[in-house]
Amino acid sequence: MGRITTYVALGDSFTEGLEDPAAYGFRGWADRLAEHIEADHLQAGQPGLRYANLAVRGRLIDDIVSEQVPKAVELGADLVSLCAGGNDILRPGSGPASVAKRLEQGVRTLTEAGARVLMFTGFDLRHVPVMRLAHSKIEVYNLHIHDIARRYDALLVDLWPMTVFRDARAWNADRLHLSPDGHRRVALRAAEVLGVPVDADWREPYPVRRPPVWTAARREDLRWARTYLGPWIGRRINGRSSGDGALPKRPDLAPLTAADR
């Protein structure tokens, strides 16, 4: 696409940047993408980027479309990234078609407002215990996302075939959120889709390491279930979210500063 002067990121914990710590909280792929865009502008001697991130952990598709999308329209951004529906898909009883219908409403609203929309498919999580149970639902949802992107001429970052994300080093210990390096690689791929030059390759393989001993791997699975899976299920049963009471980290368009890096 052409020169990007304003960028607004919408979504949940993936876009908020959880588990990619920074001095100001969490960085994440969207902040990193904004930095790549900014660097490209400065390299060309152009004014910098103004950037907002409205994503909040735990948000469902209805929250994102009804609250974040209108704010992005109000801000009048050139580029809006929209990744939503993952939290819905992981909940029992949710249907990919109904979630996709709501996502399409958000894409249509943003497109009609004149923004170029950057969309994302879901990851292939068949290698993750428990998450593999949602594999088929994510796959079907991804088909809807491809169709929406095509019909609204949206840019698409297809995360599903990126085999580098099948390595545990791309993920945080909770197996739900990306590691800092995982966020770095998503930002590089998104920059590639946008045509923004970068100095690294998201395809770079991780160093080879020996697989863990079976018994050690099972002990780690049990520790993960106690530490992360149990609390996650408890929140779902009690109707709570990790983002209850949380606010967007960058609610308004503003230039990037040295503190953002």
Side-chain angles (χ1 to χ4, degrees), residues 164-165 167 169-171 179 181-182 185 203-208:
V164 71
F165 290 108
D167 191 296
R169 286 166 284 189
W171 296 88
S179 67
D181 191 66
R185 291 173 187 265
R203 301 170 185 82
E204 180 182 359
Y206 286 103
V208 176

Side-chain angles (χ1 to χ4, degrees), residues 20-31:
D20 184 10
Y24 57 85
F26 291 110
R27 190 181 181 192
W29 69 264
D31 289 20

Side-chain angles (χ1 to χ4, degrees), residues 66-109:
S66 64
E67 299 170 10
Q68 296 179 21
V69 166
K71 178 64 174 178
V73 170
E74 179 186 328
L75 292 173
D78 301 332
L79 174 69
V80 178
S81 62
L82 175 59
C83 184
N87 288 321
D88 300 80
I89 293 298
L90 292 177
R91 289 175 180 244
S94 65
S98 60
V99 178
K101 183 176 180 181
R102 195 73 170 110
L103 178 67
E104 181 177 358
Q105 292 171 349
V107 174
R108 181 172 61 247
T109 298

